[in-house]
Amino acid sequence: MGRGYYALLHHKAKYKGGWGCTPVRRRRAMLERFWEYISRHFKSAWKSVFFNFKQYCCFFAAIFIIQMLYGMMAISATNNNSVAYQQIVEEYDYHYVIRNLTQGQYNYLEGYKRSQNMGILDKNKQLYVIVDTTERYNQREGKNVYDVYLRFGKEGADAATVQKYYKEFKQFYVDKLASLEPSYAYQDPNQTNFSVENTLLLDYQSRVSGNNATFWIITALLLVLSVFLLMSIYNIRMNQYKFTYGVYMTFGADFKKLFVTAFWEMFVVMIVTFIPSVLVSTLVVWLIYAPSGFSFAFSGWVFFKVFVFSLFVVLAAVFMPMRTTSARQPMSLIITEDNSNLVTSPRKSFNLMGKKFPGNYEMYSLWRFRKYNIQLLTTAIVFCALFICGLYLANIYNTNVNYPRPQFNVTIDPNNTNAAYDYKLSSDIKSVNEEFKDKYGEELSEYGDDFAENFEALTYIEATGNATPVDGDVDFSQSPVTEAKYISSFMLVNKKNIKPFSTGFFVFKQEDAYSKYDDGKGGSYKVTNNALYRAVSEDTSEDLFEFLSQYTVEGDPRQILESKGDTQYIIIGDSISNISKFKFKVGDTIAVSTYEGAVTAVDSNLSGKNLLRKQIQNFKYRFTTLTVCAVIKDIPSGSVPVYMMDDVYESVTGRSAVTTKLNLYTYSADPADSKVFQMSDEQVSFIEDRLRQVIDSDGLSKIGSIPVADTNQLAEKNISSDEHYNELFVAISVLILCISPIIWFFSQSLYYFKREKEFNIIQSMGANGSDIRKIYLLGGVSMAIMSLIVSILLSYIASYLMFYVFNVVVPNFSGEYIRYIFYMPWYALVISVVMSVACGFFSAYIPYKSYFKNRYSLENGGSGVQDDE
């Protein structure tokens, strides 16, 4: 071509995007070049993918599953915020509650109705509305007190407006209310008489923020899982087509070229599965949420999220294999066409045809290809283990939702001598049960006369509370829940009462400290400071016995009331950090130490066992022997609970057993079970109001000294149940399980395809078709047996790790101990094992059928042999 042609091309390029064109034309030229780049690569990748569709069919399935996993979580995240809001507005039409207001304080808030411009907002704006008011008579003061329920802004105000008005109300009104309080001789001047509560409606935006944070954490976890999945499959393909990539690199292909080519091929797959995966995800999530009866929420942003997520997965999954491949010498890839990188020489020569054939031959092959076998087994079966973990996670979620938590907290001021947790207060609280039956008896009777007769709205009263620290405490302790390690105490346990392989103990030796519990042999007793000392009052012991009845108890807890003299009984747990470590029996004894003074100081930088060892060596202790009368087998625990009579408790801990807080539990049923009685929000409010009236009418409280706080556990439980995470985890688990056969069949089909030349050579040496068939069958049976063993082993390890994490690790962050059972459902294990065994066998048998079909076609003049890439 002449110079004029190249001059014309230069002129066109300059006109379209060169220095002399306008900004509009320059941008248009850039877009044209960008679109030309995309279309060129996309068309090329499209042809490559669909021309070699059999090579890429597993990638279609894998990316479809990945997009469904993330799509389901993204859709459910949006829907859960909507479900939570719908559930909350069913219960609350107010944002804020102010309790125990005096007449003057109430009049001040009411005054806003008469003058809507208090100098804070424009006169046409409404800062708050009094939705409801509850008036009670406080017998101690002889005056009425008021609980006021406020809504910020007009009905339906957006979240930003509500938060703005809430901040303005706190800034201008709360301090004013405090200044209007009368002063009482018994009142702490630093405390107010009234109390305030935020409702779930006001805190909804915080809930959304928390849900969003959780969603991004789940996104990160799914991203790691998805990259691992896609990279595992891509590595299988890379390994089987090393020869092809070696040829590419011989002709100059570098990392950039290999990466761009691989990325666009995966991008084409991603685009094809994108819309169908989102639609199927939406359908699955809709089916899960439909039974709740709430309107289904769907955001168009889901398409964008799934697209971006898939794009990141494809980029990450392709990057590392291509980076690794491009760093190798082309010839090293070309010479490994026959999977030699997966072959380990047996380092032994033998007469192949002289051995029992093909049994010995295939056994040698299993050993030669052990790298491949290990890689395949661990990669494929790990998804079966993840399937079981997903089901375990669903069980954990259900356990968490239905875990009994207190519905109300009653706080008792220890400075108020008229208010104390005793038999009378306990009886008065329980009297709410009869009032509840009187009001809602007809509803209860619908579930049977026995149910109505035995029904208790308030089920358990749990005594707890904060104690004032004393000199020598390492940290703030709780009374009557006092932790040994915070008061320089510890517990001695006979080694026969500790289970084998239990951690967290060390031997109590004579060189550490002398006591009657050291027999001179240096091993009869072991020591731990992971113990919680709990006080038991004879006056309120029935509440404790009722509370413990929800657990598995061996022995008679009531025997603790028979303590006298040198025989002091205790009720003790069998676990530390929710892991059973003791094998106590009724009649066994332990000893607890009481700090009496320090001989020498202990390094404050020490912790754990080292700190306890130094304390035993350097401190003076006295010991109290205690006899076990009952063992609690499954009580949630951080440190092992040790219940003792209040006088013994005071002797051991050095502080009085004063209860400053009561946890009140209400009747609870699984929200998913529509056949059992479900307590309504109205009924919970009735219990709350009656509790306040009972306490005030007894003259026990000053204004605010015994507040009753609703923890909203019923609402939280209903919201968690309607979020349907358990069903989502099950659906996700099933999707993850579907990944395993993809890896099995994709890897094995390529593996046996590469071995076909080997089988041809063997047949040329005299082996017949039956021998080759046996090789395939032996390979399938061997993989089935190995997959059986590995699947059971990995599933057990994965389940135990889940059990340990949620029982031991998570409580360190959440501060709440929930007892989760070790869960490995037999049906899930059977499904996992059957799938692994079936995949192990049929992933070898199907290539056998394909091999002989192709060979028959070749021998009869056909063209049945599949082309290499």
Side-chain angles (χ1 to χ4, degrees):
M1 298 181 184
R3 294 182 179 179
Y5 175 77
Y6 289 104
L8 179 62
L9 291 179
H10 175 72
H11 172 74
K12 288 183 177 180
K14 178 178 178 181
Y15 178 79
K16 294 176 89 173
W19 57 270
C21 67
T22 64
V24 174
R25 287 179 174 175
R26 189 178 297 114
R27 287 193 295 270
R28 183 182 301 168
M30 291 176 62
L31 290 174
E32 289 176 355
R33 287 195 294 271
F34 179 68
W35 176 251
E36 189 274 334
Y37 172 83
I38 291 178
S39 61
R40 183 177 72 251
H41 284 86
F42 189 83
K43 289 178 182 178
S44 176
W46 183 277
K47 292 178 181 179
S48 176
V49 168
F50 285 95
F51 183 78
N52 301 286
F53 181 77
K54 288 185 178 180
Q55 295 180 22
Y56 291 93
C57 59
C58 66
F59 290 100
F60 281 98
I63 293 179
F64 181 81
I65 290 174
I66 288 170
Q67 290 171 332
M68 273 201 66
L69 287 174
Y70 186 70
M72 288 168 59
M73 293 307 302
I75 296 167
S76 64
T78 301
N79 203 61
N80 282 342
N81 288 335
S82 174
V83 166
Y85 183 77
Q86 293 175 72
Q87 184 74 260
I88 289 170
V89 296
E90 280 189 2
E91 180 175 357
Y92 300 99
D93 59 352
Y94 52 90
H95 298 104
Y96 200 63
V97 184
I98 310 178
R99 301 194 184 279
N100 299 313
L101 290 175
T102 62
Q103 186 70 55
Q105 292 168 327
Y106 174 70
N107 291 340
Y108 173 73
L109 289 180
E110 272 287 332
Y112 177 74
K113 288 185 175 181
R114 296 188 293 271
S115 176
Q116 292 199 0
N117 181 14
M118 302 293 290
I120 299 172
L121 299 168
D122 295 336
K123 64 174 63 178
N124 294 327
K125 291 188 177 179
Q126 198 170 44
L127 178 64
Y128 66 85
V129 176
I130 298 179
V131 176
D132 194 13
T133 302
T134 301
E135 183 177 356
R136 299 194 314 277
Y137 181 74
N138 184 276
Q139 184 173 338
R140 181 183 175 90
E141 300 303 327
K143 298 177 182 178
N144 290 333
V145 293
Y146 301 86
D147 296 341
V148 180
Y149 301 80
L150 304 178
R151 185 186 71 237
F152 296 113
K154 297 181 179 180
E155 188 173 1
D158 59 85
T161 301
V162 170
Q163 290 297 321
K164 175 185 176 184
Y165 288 2
Y166 166 58
K167 291 178 181 178
E168 291 178 350
F169 180 86
K170 283 182 33 177
Q171 180 180 359
F172 294 100
Y173 279 78
V174 175
D175 289 342
K176 179 64 176 178
L177 290 174
S179 68
L180 295 174
E181 282 190 344
S183 58
Y184 302 103
Y186 50 78
Q187 179 184 336
D188 185 342
N190 296 319
Q191 295 181 346
T192 58
N193 287 322
F194 65 88
S195 61
V196 297
E197 296 177 15
N198 294 353
T199 69
L200 296 181
L201 185 59
L202 181 61
D203 293 335
Y204 171 72
Q205 205 58 39
S206 300
R207 178 185 295 274
V208 171
S209 299
N211 288 347
N212 291 340
T214 302
F215 171 71
W216 288 114
I217 293 173
I218 292 174
T219 296
L221 294 175
L222 282 179
L223 184 63
V224 173
L225 176 64
S226 301
V227 170
F228 171 73
L229 160 62
L230 197 57
M231 190 182 296
S232 298
I233 299 177
Y234 207 86
N235 278 328
I236 294 171
R237 182 179 184 277
M238 290 287 296
N239 189 72
Q240 300 296 343
Y241 290 98
K242 294 182 296 294
F243 177 81
T244 303
Y245 288 103
V247 173
Y248 291 163
M249 293 171 63
T250 302
F251 284 90
D254 56 3
F255 165 72
K256 180 179 178 182
K257 182 64 177 177
L258 294 176
F259 173 75
V260 169
T261 302
F263 165 74
W264 280 104
E265 290 173 348
M266 291 298 101
F267 183 79
V268 166
V269 178
M270 184 192 87
I271 291 297
V272 171
T273 59
F274 170 56
I275 299 297
S277 67
V278 176
L279 295 179
V280 175
S281 299
T282 305
L283 176 62
V284 172
V285 176
W286 180 82
L287 291 174
I288 289 174
Y289 282 85
S292 296
F294 293 105
S295 59
F296 186 76
F298 180 84
S299 172
W301 281 103
V302 169
F303 287 94
F304 176 75
K305 292 177 181 178
V306 173
F307 180 85
V308 173
F309 180 84
S310 306
L311 190 63
F312 273 104
V313 170
V314 167
L315 284 168
V318 170
F319 180 85
M320 284 306 298
M322 286 304 170
R323 171 63 71 183
T324 302
T325 300
S326 64
R328 298 180 61 181
Q329 293 296 322
M331 190 55 63
S332 68
L333 297 174
I334 292 174
I335 63 177
T336 56
E337 179 190 5
D338 59 350
N339 285 325
S340 60
N341 66 314
L342 295 177
V343 178
T344 303
S345 173
R347 301 183 181 278
K348 179 181 179 181
S349 298
F350 60 94
N351 183 0
L352 177 64
M353 305 306 291
K355 296 286 185 179
K356 186 177 179 181
F357 186 83
N360 284 24
Y361 176 79
E362 189 56 22
M363 290 303 102
Y364 277 113
S365 295
L366 287 174
W367 180 249
R368 286 189 302 120
F369 286 99
R370 60 183 179 273
K371 289 182 180 179
Y372 166 78
N373 293 331
I374 293 172
Q375 182 184 32
L376 173 61
L377 286 168
T378 54
T379 304
I381 296 177
V382 72
F383 291 100
C384 292
L386 289 174
F387 162 69
I388 292 180
C389 285
L391 296 182
Y392 194 178
L393 195 60
N395 177 270
I396 286 173
Y397 184 80
N398 274 334
T399 301
N400 188 284
V401 169
N402 294 310
Y403 180 75
R405 295 178 174 89
Q407 180 70 42
F408 303 106
N409 296 139
V410 176
T411 305
I412 303 173
D413 187 352
N415 297 318
N416 182 3
T417 57
N418 293 317
Y421 173 50
D422 53 17
Y423 177 78
K424 184 176 186 306
L425 178 59
S426 173
S427 300
D428 291 339
I429 290 175
K430 292 177 181 177
S431 68
V432 174
N433 284 325
E434 295 303 319
E435 298 182 40
F436 187 92
K437 290 180 182 180
D438 291 340
K439 185 172 179 63
Y440 299 103
E442 291 185 5
E443 294 183 31
L444 297 174
S445 61
E446 295 178 3
Y447 296 86
D449 293 337
D450 290 341
F451 178 82
E453 182 179 351
N454 299 317
F455 179 82
E456 291 186 346
L458 286 172
T459 54
Y460 307 118
I461 300 177
E462 180 188 16
T464 181
N466 298 320
T468 303
V470 299
D471 292 341
D473 283 3
V474 176
D475 199 352
F476 288 96
S477 59
Q478 290 187 325
S479 173
V481 183
T482 309
E483 195 157 5
K485 60 187 175 183
Y486 293 151
I487 58 173
S488 302
S489 177
F490 57 88
M491 180 175 71
L492 287 169
V493 181
N494 196 305
K495 65 178 183 180
K496 70 177 184 178
N497 295 131
I498 298 176
K499 292 185 175 181
F501 310 111
S502 295
T503 58
F505 305 92
F506 61 86
V507 175
F508 188 68
K509 297 180 181 178
Q510 187 169 357
E511 55 263 29
D512 292 334
Y514 174 76
S515 79
K516 64 179 181 180
Y517 300 100
D518 191 340
D519 58 3
K521 299 178 182 179
S524 294
Y525 285 85
K526 289 189 176 181
V527 63
T528 179
N529 59 2
N530 290 317
L532 284 173
Y533 303 145
R534 299 175 180 248
V536 179
S537 170
E538 186 173 357
D539 201 23
T540 57
S541 58
E542 283 302 317
D543 291 340
L544 172 64
F545 300 148
E546 290 176 2
F547 178 75
L548 295 180
S549 66
Q550 63 185 307
Y551 306 113
T552 303
V553 180
E554 180 183 291
D556 182 11
R558 285 177 171 79
Q559 191 178 359
I560 195 173
L561 301 178
E562 300 174 10
S563 300
K564 58 182 179 180
D566 294 334
T567 305
Q568 296 294 332
Y569 291 108
I570 57 167
I571 305 168
I572 194 167
D574 72 339
S575 305
I576 295 177
S577 295
N578 288 332
I579 304 295
S580 180
K581 295 189 176 184
F582 301 99
K583 46 183 180 180
F584 291 119
K585 295 182 179 179
V586 175
D588 289 336
T589 60
I590 67 166
V592 293
S593 68
T594 302
Y595 172 82
E596 290 193 323
V599 178
T600 57
V602 172
D603 187 353
S604 60
N605 294 320
L606 296 175
S607 61
K609 291 182 181 180
N610 292 329
L611 174 62
L612 181 54
R613 281 193 176 95
K614 283 297 181 183
Q615 288 177 339
I616 293 174
Q617 291 175 356
N618 297 358
F619 292 169
K620 289 183 178 179
Y621 289 100
R622 61 178 172 84
F623 296 89
T624 303
T625 303
L626 304 169
T627 303
V628 175
C629 70
V631 183
I632 317 168
K633 296 291 187 179
D634 54 358
I635 188 170
S637 61
S639 297
V640 58
V642 183
Y643 293 88
M644 58 189 75
M645 295 303 294
D646 48 10
D647 57 338
V648 180
Y649 171 88
E650 293 179 2
S651 174
V652 168
T653 64
R655 63 207 68 201
S656 60
V658 177
T659 298
T660 57
K661 182 179 178 182
L662 299 177
N663 292 329
L664 305 185
Y665 295 77
T666 58
Y667 170 82
S668 180
D670 187 347
D673 191 348
S674 58
K675 296 181 181 180
V676 298
F677 173 72
Q678 301 287 343
M679 190 173 289
S680 66
D681 300 326
E682 175 194 337
Q683 291 164 343
V684 172
S685 297
F686 171 80
I687 296 172
E688 182 178 2
D689 291 339
R690 292 305 304 149
L691 284 172
R692 298 182 194 282
Q693 293 174 15
V694 164
I695 291 174
D696 283 346
S697 64
D698 285 343
L700 293 175
S701 69
K702 62 182 177 61
I703 298 176
S705 68
I706 307 187
V708 179
D710 186 356
T711 62
N712 300 305
Q713 286 305 314
L714 176 64
E716 293 287 359
K717 184 175 181 177
N718 290 332
I719 290 172
S720 297
S721 178
D722 289 331
E723 287 177 339
H724 292 288
Y725 274 115
N726 52 333
E727 290 90 345
L728 281 171
F729 291 147
V730 172
I732 289 172
S733 300
V734 173
L735 285 175
I736 291 175
L737 183 64
C738 294
I739 295 169
S740 186
I742 294 174
I743 295 177
W744 270 112
F745 287 98
F746 181 60
S747 181
Q748 286 284 77
S749 62
L750 293 176
Y751 168 73
Y752 278 105
F753 176 72
K754 290 296 184 180
R755 291 191 67 186
E756 287 183 1
K757 295 177 181 178
E758 172 190 344
F759 300 149
N760 292 336
I761 294 174
I762 292 174
Q763 289 191 75
S764 69
M765 297 173 64
N768 55 37
S770 177
D771 293 329
I772 302 302
R773 179 174 178 271
K774 288 180 181 179
I775 289 177
Y776 276 97
L777 293 178
L778 284 171
V781 171
S782 300
M783 292 302 289
I785 293 173
M786 288 189 291
S787 63
L788 171 65
I789 298 171
V790 175
S791 62
I792 293 176
L793 183 62
L794 279 182
S795 298
Y796 180 85
I797 293 174
S799 296
Y800 186 81
L801 286 175
M802 291 278 290
F803 166 78
Y804 186 85
V805 166
F806 280 93
N807 275 287
V808 180
V809 178
V810 171
N812 292 330
F813 300 95
S814 66
E816 181 181 39
Y817 281 89
I818 301 175
R819 190 70 172 260
Y820 300 104
I821 62 171
F822 179 74
Y823 182 72
M824 195 172 175
W826 65 268
Y827 61 88
L829 183 60
V830 169
I831 292 172
S832 176
V833 169
V834 169
M835 174 169 282
S836 298
V837 172
C839 289
F841 178 78
F842 286 105
S843 63
Y845 182 75
I846 291 175
Y848 153 72
K849 300 293 288 184
S850 177
Y851 169 67
F852 273 95
K853 179 182 178 181
N854 292 338
R855 186 170 181 81
Y856 175 82
S857 179
L858 181 63
E859 290 174 350
N860 288 274
S863 56
V865 178
Q866 297 177 3
D867 293 330
D868 200 342
E869 190 178 28

